[in-house]
Amino acid sequence: MIGLIRILSTCAAMAMASQSLADTADRAFGGDIFRAGDTTAPLQATRDVFATGTSVILRGEIAHDAHAVGFDVDADAATGGDLYLMGVSATLRGTVGGDLTASGFSVRTAPESEVIGNARLTGAQVTIEGPVGGAVVAAGGKVTLNAKVDGDVLMAGETLMFGRDARIGGRLTYSAPTLMDIPEHVITADRITYEPYHRSEVVKDAQEIWSDWEYPALPTFMSLFGAFLITVGFFVVIGALFLALVPDRVRHLRRKIESRPGMALLSGVIGLSILFGLVLISALTVVGLPLVPIILLALIAVWTLGYILGAYALSMRVVHSFGSDENPKIWVRLLALVIGVTLASLLNFIPFLGWMANFALVLLGIGGMTMAIFERMNGDANPVSDMPD
């Protein structure tokens, strides 16, 4: 998962750069192709492909690896290496010469698809209809296998299903709420291992909500605007509570970010990667499954606090640059918080550039918290010299 997050972050960054450097949707550099925006133009890549957009469609031939992230991702290309997909809906229709890694609410490999290597799939709904030459790891609310798998299979979910075309050449390890009567044509009983499944209400609710949504509808302008107002208000309230209740701690974290912004960004990547890694590790272990909702909630909380802290730190930096009082009153800090969060939220309406700027704010905030944790672990509680707020 850590590798996937790194690759998809690189994908978004490179696609943003490609759009800023050229008027076309594709940018070729060093044999790689960077695609930004919604286009169905065929690909002819001699190396790797990085693609991002609302609707990402991959067609053509890709010599090495391909990475795609978007709202609706559809891969119908011949990929010579590994393929990485992430989206609300992620579908494979082409061939993958290496391994497939995909994550989303709806993840599907179509009957005409083929994966030569291993497949690792996670989502609220996971459907495997294309043959896999290696092993399969599939976890989600509802997981359906209806294809031939030459290697071992690990399946975990609230609901597991096997179609008439399902065949498993290796061993099957499955985790479900109850023991299942798996058809003999899928796999013989001596090659099946059952591991108890602990129900998660979060996973169950998500599976029920998305059960009839193969391709979720795009949000309308009014819903986005309403969400913007609610989000800004929520961020301001949370930030104001922290400024009022723990002002010294907020000041300490802000100073870390201001004094070492580069280290804060790097620490943010490390901290965020650790949290995402914990989600995958917990989801793939029976003991850790009950902890997945807790880790997800912690991830959301850390992401939110990091975003607020990053916006506030940047806004206060601007305030100080204009020669303001080095020890501003609480209303000045609150005003800086409101302006910082509002401007940062408005950036979300700017495709790619705004999203990456917001992601950088999240990394700054999480980086400040990560640096503080590491320093406490090393016994250095306040390495940054005092600097008045």
Side-chain angles (χ1 to χ4, degrees):
M1 176 62 76
I2 295 175
L4 177 58
I5 296 300
R6 183 180 67 249
I7 290 169
L8 293 178
S9 299
T10 303
C11 166
M14 293 301 98
M16 178 194 72
S18 71
Q19 192 175 47
S20 64
L21 291 172
D23 295 331
T24 60
D26 290 353
R27 174 78 172 183
F29 188 79
D32 297 332
I33 292 181
F34 304 102
R35 168 169 290 185
D38 304 337
T39 176
T40 61
L43 292 162
Q44 193 68 38
T46 58
R47 288 184 58 82
D48 299 340
V49 168
F50 299 83
T52 184
T54 304
S55 179
V56 179
I57 300 177
L58 302 181
R59 300 282 188 269
E61 296 183 0
I62 302 169
H64 292 173
D65 301 336
H67 322 83
V69 57
F71 191 87
D72 180 12
V73 181
D74 191 306
D76 193 12
T79 306
D82 299 333
L83 177 63
Y84 300 86
L85 306 176
M86 178 178 283
V88 174
S89 175
T91 304
L92 171 67
R93 305 182 192 278
T95 59
V96 180
D99 300 330
L100 168 67
T101 303
S103 178
F105 280 101
S106 174
V107 177
R108 175 174 176 256
T109 66
E112 64 270 23
S113 69
E114 182 180 6
V115 178
I116 304 301
N118 298 335
R120 309 113 177 184
L121 314 172
T122 58
Q125 288 193 88
V126 178
T127 304
I128 307 166
E129 296 181 300
V132 178
V136 169
V137 175
K142 179 180 179 181
V143 181
T144 302
L145 175 63
N146 189 30
K148 179 184 177 183
V149 179
D150 293 339
D152 298 333
V153 174
L154 172 61
M155 297 174 63
E158 185 77 19
T159 302
L160 303 183
M161 299 183 64
F162 297 89
R164 62 181 182 181
D165 295 329
R167 301 288 189 278
I168 299 176
R171 294 193 59 84
L172 168 64
T173 301
Y174 74 96
S175 181
T178 59
L179 282 167
M180 299 178 57
D181 184 14
I182 300 175
E184 190 75 17
H185 76 267
V186 177
I187 188 174
T188 57
D190 60 305
R191 292 185 287 129
I192 299 177
T193 301
Y194 170 73
E195 296 180 352
Y197 178 87
H198 301 281
R199 290 179 180 270
S200 168
E201 293 301 320
V202 173
V203 174
K204 182 179 179 181
D205 291 344
Q207 183 262 328
E208 291 176 354
I209 291 172
W210 289 87
S211 59
D212 298 325
W213 290 41
E214 182 177 1
Y215 296 101
L218 287 170
T220 63
F221 172 78
M222 289 305 298
S223 65
L224 286 174
F225 183 70
F228 167 76
L229 294 179
I230 295 174
T231 301
V232 170
F234 172 77
F235 287 158
V236 169
V237 170
I238 296 297
L241 286 175
F242 275 86
L243 284 175
L245 299 177
V246 285
D248 293 337
R249 176 56 56 186
V250 174
R251 182 184 304 114
H252 181 63
L253 295 175
R254 182 186 64 78
R255 289 171 178 171
K256 291 184 181 298
I257 296 173
E258 287 189 1
S259 62
R260 304 178 69 185
M263 180 59 68
L265 283 173
L266 178 59
S267 300
V269 173
I270 295 173
L272 197 59
S273 298
I274 292 173
L275 287 174
F276 274 109
L278 286 175
V279 174
L280 180 63
I281 293 172
S282 300
L284 296 181
T285 58
V286 175
V287 176
L289 274 175
L291 300 178
V292 171
I294 299 176
I295 298 174
L296 288 174
L297 288 175
L299 177 60
I300 294 173
V302 171
W303 185 287
T304 302
L305 294 177
Y307 182 72
I308 297 172
L309 178 60
Y312 173 70
L314 184 61
S315 181
M316 285 298 297
R317 182 67 175 177
V318 174
V319 169
H320 287 313
S321 68
F322 281 100
S324 67
D325 187 351
E326 292 186 346
N327 189 22
K329 296 181 179 180
I330 183 64
W331 70 268
V332 176
R333 283 176 278 161
L334 287 174
L335 180 61
L337 172 67
V338 172
I339 294 175
V341 169
T342 302
L343 292 178
S345 299
L346 285 172
L347 288 175
N348 285 301
F349 293 97
I350 303 176
F352 304 114
L353 181 60
W355 303 338
M356 294 306 299
N358 272 273
F359 185 59
L361 291 177
V362 172
L363 292 180
L364 280 175
I366 296 178
M369 293 184 284
T370 303
M371 291 167 65
I373 292 174
F374 285 166
E375 287 161 359
R376 278 190 173 274
M377 293 173 61
N378 292 331
D380 189 1
N382 188 18
V384 179
S385 60
D386 273 347
M387 182 172 57
D389 199 16

